Amino acid sequence: MKKQVTLFLMAFLSLALNLQAKTSETTLWESTYQSEIELNAATVATFKEGDVLRVYVTVPEGGANFNIVYKSSADNWQEHKIPSINNDWPWVNGGGTYKDIALTAADITALSGKNIYIKKGDYSTITKVSLKTVELDEQTLYNTATEMVDYTTINEGTLTPDMFEKVKEGDKIVVNASESNGGQVWIAKMTGSNWDEEKLLDGVSIIDNVSYTLTADDANIIKARGIRISGKNITLKSIGLIPASVKAIISSTGIGTFCSSKVLNFTGTGVTPYYASDVAEGIVTLTSVEKTASNTGYILKGSEGVYAIPVIVEEVTAPTTNYLKATGDNSANVTASTDGSYHYIFAKKGDNTPAFYKLTADHELAAHKAYLETTEDITPSTQGAPLMFDFSNGTTAIMDVFQDEMKQQPVQEDGVYYTLQGTRVQNPTKGLYILNGKKIIVK
């Protein structure tokens, strides 16, 4: 008994009490102003209470305003104001650069299934629309080894409501422990004033990590009352809390780079992740996966929109060969290419479709992005040409590439190889060519 008391005291003293959360800003639209800016219902569906819609504007000295409305076909596309702004047109003072609209619960309810439209006033020009979110980051709630022999319970005041301030439906409580003699664990939410409890996990066997996904009701009660963890024949190692999902943005080009510190499952999301499995002059070969490893660079391909990608509690091994490098949760300085270390940044250059281009000067790359790193220079032989993507997973030489807006050649079924610029090639070497109207790789 004395040993258990000592262990509990040590555990209590070593507990980290502050919830870890981070604020992120995601660009939803950026361009020169058109007749009106539309954020479609799929994008709006990812908004939640507490998010901040930020509208970047340029205004004259005297200030200017803009308008935000929502519509749906159910009411014949009649315009409605977002509840939190009532009938106002949000105002930006002269010299200001943006206006924040904090989304309330009433806003989220009103916007369900709707499209948002943002219209400029007489003097303002809108340049960008973004969403600022406060996301729950992965957090260790408890991290001291504790023996739990006979239905032992962690001190009732340990996992307190302040630790769960930002939890929401879909977030996971993860228990990591080792077991002996059929060890089990219980997780309970505290539902009454006298520590009445309702079991979330009732005597579940410990095999590596055990997790429980919170319902909306669970989240609301835990915010007010906290939780209780009990165990039998286990050594508790840690209790963690991980978010339900991570946002991924696909721009109008349908493609972009990505990385996350979480393990994610893209199955059924409408977005396909790829890693760079091979490179050659002018070509990056991409191989698709359904689940992505943490802190690993990927290419995402899908329709334009904002996607909530589920976080999963399992180990996913990063690809053995992957030429894509992740920036991580913070921006990173990517150095200029040098002999033996060539860096390529995904960007739009001139009128070409976004693609990888060799970096000739140091570049600050945003968080949650990726860049290409090779030991050999794979820049296309044609000056200014982008690297092409092979999405074939190595099963075929036919290229599935984005329209490249470079000079297009008429189909010529003559069995002759041409460069992308239409130059006839007698003896093609390694690279990308057009043969009988189709792009192929010569390896």
Side-chain angles (χ1 to χ4, degrees):
M1 179 61 71
K2 183 176 180 181
K3 180 180 179 182
Q4 288 186 354
V5 171
T6 302
L7 285 168
F8 279 126
L9 181 60
M10 292 171 61
F12 185 79
L13 292 174
S14 65
L15 187 64
L17 295 177
N18 294 323
L19 181 71
Q20 298 299 311
K22 60 183 178 182
T23 301
S24 60
E25 183 174 354
T26 301
T27 298
L28 305 177
W29 177 91
E30 186 171 16
S31 184
T32 54
Y33 182 76
Q34 301 170 4
S35 57
E36 66 180 9
I37 299 162
E38 177 185 4
L39 303 179
N40 61 35
T43 296
V44 175
T46 67
F47 297 178
K48 63 181 185 296
E49 180 183 0
D51 286 351
V52 173
L53 195 63
R54 175 170 286 186
V55 181
Y56 286 85
V57 294
T58 55
V59 297
E61 184 178 346
N65 58 10
F66 59 90
N67 195 15
I68 300 180
V69 300
Y70 66 89
K71 309 176 188 177
S72 74
S73 58
D75 55 14
N76 297 317
W77 297 101
Q78 181 179 352
E79 293 185 355
H80 303 276
K81 291 293 185 72
I82 295 175
S84 62
I85 66 173
N86 298 315
N87 293 318
D88 295 334
W89 282 53
W91 180 267
V92 183
N93 292 325
T97 57
Y98 62 82
K99 178 70 175 181
D100 283 343
I101 293 95
L103 299 174
T104 65
D107 293 334
I108 300 303
T109 299
L111 292 172
S112 177
K114 309 297 195 304
N115 295 1
I116 286 179
Y117 297 86
I118 304 174
K119 305 177 181 181
K120 75 182 186 69
D122 292 336
Y123 303 106
S124 62
T125 299
I126 300 173
T127 58
K128 184 168 74 169
V129 179
S130 68
L131 188 72
K132 289 190 65 181
T133 58
V134 178
E135 298 288 351
L136 174 70
D137 201 2
E138 185 171 351
Q139 182 201 358
T140 300
L141 304 174
Y142 187 96
N143 62 356
T144 299
T146 305
E147 265 188 286
M148 308 182 80
V149 179
D150 189 15
Y151 303 102
T152 311
T153 301
I154 293 179
N155 186 295
E156 291 174 346
T158 297
L159 300 175
T160 54
D162 60 303
M163 304 176 74
F164 300 95
E165 180 185 0
K166 297 294 183 182
V167 297
K168 61 185 181 300
E169 180 181 4
D171 291 342
K172 292 180 176 66
I173 297 173
V174 181
V175 179
N176 179 249
S178 58
E179 62 90 21
S180 61
N181 300 320
Q184 294 177 299
V185 68
W186 290 258
I187 302 178
K189 58 183 178 183
M190 315 313 299
T191 57
S193 58
N194 295 316
W195 290 96
D196 299 326
E197 65 178 40
E198 179 183 332
K199 296 290 193 304
L200 302 179
L201 288 182
D202 191 359
V204 175
S205 296
I206 285 288
I207 303 176
D208 297 324
N209 289 342
V210 169
S211 67
Y212 178 80
T213 302
L214 298 173
T215 66
D217 181 65
D218 294 334
N220 288 333
I221 291 177
I222 287 170
K223 287 178 184 179
R225 298 288 294 158
I227 65 171
R228 172 187 284 169
I229 304 288
S230 304
K232 177 183 179 182
N233 296 333
I234 67 173
T235 298
L236 178 63
K237 298 177 181 178
S238 66
I239 302 169
L241 191 64
I242 65 173
S245 61
V246 167
K247 282 188 174 65
I249 308 295
I250 302 291
S251 70
S252 59
T253 63
I255 188 172
T257 67
F258 177 80
C259 72
S260 173
S261 59
K262 310 293 187 295
V263 177
L264 306 178
N265 185 0
F266 283 79
T267 306
T269 63
V271 178
T272 304
Y274 298 81
Y275 66 92
S277 55
D278 196 12
V279 293
E281 182 182 325
I283 305 164
V284 179
T285 300
L286 300 174
T287 300
S288 66
V289 294
E290 292 186 343
K291 300 175 181 179
T292 56
S294 61
N295 301 309
T296 304
Y298 293 93
I299 288 281
L300 299 187
K301 183 181 178 186
S303 299
E304 180 181 5
V306 182
Y307 298 83
I309 310 300
V311 176
I312 54 176
V313 185
E314 65 178 81
E315 185 175 336
V316 172
T317 304
T320 303
T321 300
N322 184 12
Y323 292 90
L324 290 169
K325 307 302 177 184
T327 57
D329 287 335
N330 300 301
S331 63
N333 181 56
V334 184
T335 58
S337 300
T338 59
D339 287 343
S341 181
Y342 296 91
H343 294 155
Y344 299 81
I345 296 294
F346 190 74
K348 185 174 182 179
K349 187 175 181 180
D351 293 330
N352 292 334
T353 298
F356 280 110
Y357 294 89
K358 186 168 70 173
L359 197 59
T360 57
D362 291 359
H363 178 79
E364 189 75 11
L365 187 60
H368 308 299
K369 298 294 184 181
Y371 60 96
L372 195 70
E373 182 178 78
T374 64
T375 57
E376 295 182 6
D377 190 347
I378 60 171
T379 307
S381 56
T382 302
Q383 185 176 4
L387 292 171
M388 291 296 180
F389 299 122
D390 176 8
F391 289 95
S392 63
N393 293 334
T395 59
T396 173
I398 302 301
M399 298 291 288
D400 175 15
V401 297
F402 291 89
Q403 190 69 16
D404 55 58
E405 297 187 18
M406 290 158 49
K407 181 179 180 182
Q408 300 299 305
Q409 300 301 315
V411 175
Q412 300 183 56
E413 300 282 349
D414 54 8
V416 176
Y417 289 88
Y418 296 86
T419 67
L420 294 179
Q421 289 69 44
T423 303
R424 185 180 177 124
V425 178
Q426 189 70 29
N427 297 305
T429 57
K430 183 172 66 174
L432 177 63
Y433 298 90
I434 297 174
L435 175 65
N436 295 334
K438 295 179 179 179
K439 297 184 179 73
I440 69 166
I441 306 171
V442 176
K443 297 184 177 180

